[in-house]
Amino acid sequence: MPDVLDASPYDALLLLSFGGPEGPDDVVPFLENVTRGRGIPKERLKEVGQHYFLYGGVSPINDQNRALLAALRGDFADHGLDLPVYWGNRNWAPYLTDTLREMVRDGRRRILVLATSAYASYSGCRQYRENLADALATLEAEGLEPPKVDKLRHYFNHPGFVEPMIDGVVRSLADLPEDVRDGAHIAFCTHSIPTSAADTSGPVEGHGDGGAYVRQHLDVARLIADAVRERTGVDHPWQLVYQSRSGAPHIPWLEPDICDHLEERHAAGVPAVVMAPIGFVSDHMEVLYDLDTEATAKAGELGLPVRRSATVGADPRFAAAIRELVMERAVAERGQDVTPCALGALGASHDLCPVGCCPARAPRPAAAGADSPYA
C-alpha cells in the first residue's frame, strides 16, 4: 500500500473550468452565460454558436474534464492522497455555485482550487477568482458559512505540464513527410487577448509589454523548442502566435493570428508547420475549430503541410503534477519548508495573487487572493 500523503489543512480539491454546451439546445443559453451583461442580441449569439453547431452543439471540454477528474482521482488513490475531487464550471453545468454548495453540505471547509488555465491573465485567473467570490457570496446569502478557498499557483512551467507537450511536438514532427520534416517551423499557439489585458497581466511590478502572459508563454515555448532540438538534433525555427480573437475590431489584440502566420511562413518558403497549442490544457472547441478546422483549411489552401500537436489533457504526468502542487501548497500552509518545482527562467509563480495582479476592467471582489473578502 502507498504511504499516506497529508493534504491538511485542505479537505477537498475543486476542478474549476469554463464549461461548454452538451447539445444543440444548450448552445445559445451557454453563450448567454458567457456574455452576460454585454447586451449581445440572441441572433448574434446564434451566429457565434455556429462553431458549436458544426460539431452537433457539443463542446468537448466537459468530457475532457471528466477524463481529467478520473485521472486525478486515480492518481490520488494510487499515491495514498485521501482528498476528494469535485468539479464546477463558470458557464455551464455543473455550475460552480452548485458545486460549492454541495461541498459545504459535505462538510468541506478548506478547499484548494485547480483552474483549467495555466497562465496569468484576467480571463485566465482573476475572472475565475471573481466567479469564486460571487459563488461564496451566494452561499453566504443563503445562510451557509462560506469555506476558505485557495487557488493553486500557475503551472505553465511545471514539468508535468511541459513534458507532455514536448512529446506532442516531437510526434507531430515525426508525422510530417520526411522531405519537409527538418525544415518545419513550430507555431506555438495560445489564445489572443487584448494587448491592454496582456500588459497588465501578473503582479504590478511586471506590467507592460505583454506582461506575465506573454513572458510565460515565451518561456514555455523556449523550453519545448530546446527539448525538441535535444531529442531530434534539429533546431526548428519557432514563433509565439495567437488565435481565437473576439471583440470589437478597433481594440488591439495580441498578434499575429495563426492563419496570417501560416500565410507569412508559406510566403517565406517554410516547407511545413507544426501548430503547438501550448496555451490550452485540453482539446476543447477553440483548439478543435480554430486550429483543426480553420487553420488547417488555410494551410490546405496554401498547399502547406501542417500538423497539430496534442494538448496535455488527462496525461498521467499532468495528474501527477497536480498532486505535487497540492502537496506543495499543503506543506507551505502548514509552515514547513518546500521547494516549488518549476522549469525555465521564470521560476515558480506566487501562491497568493497580490493586489493589482491581472486587474479587472471594473473593480469586483475576487476570492483566493491578497484582496479577497473571504480571507
Side-chain angles (χ1 to χ4, degrees):
M1 293 292 291
D3 294 332
V4 175
L5 297 179
D6 181 10
S8 64
Y10 298 105
D11 54 22
L13 175 68
L14 169 63
L15 173 64
L16 176 56
S17 193
F18 192 81
E22 300 200 76
D25 293 341
D26 296 344
V27 173
V28 171
F30 162 72
L31 292 173
E32 287 175 333
N33 288 341
V34 174
T35 62
R36 183 177 289 113
R38 301 182 201 173
I40 299 177
K42 183 170 289 189
E43 290 306 310
R44 175 58 183 152
L45 294 179
K46 289 179 181 178
E47 294 175 18
V48 173
Q50 290 306 311
H51 295 180
Y52 293 96
F53 292 127
L54 286 173
Y55 299 92
V58 179
S59 168
I61 192 170
N62 281 347
D63 276 346
Q64 289 160 6
N65 279 322
R66 292 182 183 103
L68 180 56
L69 276 173
L72 290 170
R73 288 166 176 161
D75 178 272
F76 287 8
D78 289 346
H79 291 84
L81 177 56
D82 184 15
L83 190 72
V85 186
Y86 295 74
W87 169 36
N89 290 324
R90 289 170 48 192
N91 298 298
W92 201 248
Y95 288 102
L96 168 60
T97 301
D98 294 337
T99 301
L100 279 175
R101 186 183 297 111
E102 176 189 0
M103 297 176 81
V104 168
R105 288 173 175 167
D106 286 348
R108 312 304 176 192
R109 301 304 311 152
R110 192 76 189 273
I111 297 168
L112 265 176
V113 178
L114 164 65
T116 54
S117 177
Y119 301 85
S121 70
Y122 171 74
S123 57
C125 183
R126 186 176 177 89
Q127 194 168 17
Y128 282 91
R129 294 175 48 226
E130 290 175 351
N131 294 145
L132 281 166
D134 291 343
L136 293 171
T138 297
L139 298 187
E140 194 170 41
E142 294 173 355
L144 297 173
E145 184 181 352
K148 178 172 173 52
V149 296
D150 290 325
K151 181 177 173 291
L152 287 174
R153 65 176 173 88
H154 301 300
Y155 46 84
F156 64 93
N157 56 2
H158 194 287
F161 186 69
V162 175
E163 288 168 1
M165 293 191 291
I166 295 170
D167 289 348
V169 173
V170 170
R171 285 195 298 268
S172 293
L173 287 166
D175 192 48
L176 284 167
E178 189 174 359
D179 61 332
V180 299
R181 187 179 303 150
D182 286 354
H185 171 86
I186 305 173
F188 291 107
C189 307
T190 191
H191 205 301
S192 184
I193 61 175
T195 56
S196 58
D199 291 347
T200 56
S201 58
V204 172
E205 60 270 19
H207 287 180
D209 195 22
Y213 188 75
V214 171
R215 284 195 298 277
Q216 290 170 0
H217 281 88
L218 286 173
D219 201 42
V220 171
R222 289 189 192 98
L223 284 167
I224 297 173
D226 289 347
V228 168
R229 182 180 63 250
E230 291 173 7
R231 293 193 192 182
T232 66
V234 179
D235 191 6
H236 291 274
W238 61 270
Q239 186 171 338
L240 179 62
V241 302
Y242 303 93
Q243 62 176 88
S244 312
R245 179 195 165 125
S246 61
H250 68 279
I251 297 176
W253 284 53
L254 293 173
E255 297 178 337
D257 175 78
I258 178 60
C259 289
D260 295 338
H261 183 66
L262 292 175
E263 289 185 340
E264 189 271 333
R265 289 293 81 204
H266 177 256
V270 165
V273 174
V274 168
M275 300 181 292
I278 62 171
F280 305 91
V281 171
S282 63
D283 290 3
H284 56 63
M285 183 57 70
E286 287 165 318
V287 175
L288 193 65
Y289 181 80
D290 295 339
L291 295 183
D292 293 356
T293 303
E294 191 173 49
T296 299
K298 170 60 69 176
E301 293 172 10
L302 297 169
L304 178 67
V306 294
R307 298 292 186 272
R308 197 269 291 173
S309 66
T311 52
V312 173
D315 189 289
R317 290 168 290 184
F318 183 46
I322 300 309
R323 168 173 41 83
E324 292 170 8
L325 288 169
V326 167
M327 294 308 303
E328 172 193 301
R329 185 63 179 271
V331 168
E333 288 295 309
R334 295 198 297 266
Q336 300 168 312
D337 291 336
V338 61
T339 302
C341 186
L343 301 174
L346 299 180
S349 294
H350 48 261
D351 278 336
L352 191 68
C353 291
V355 175
C357 191
C358 304
R361 292 179 287 266
R364 287 180 57 193
D371 55 354
S372 172
Y374 297 97

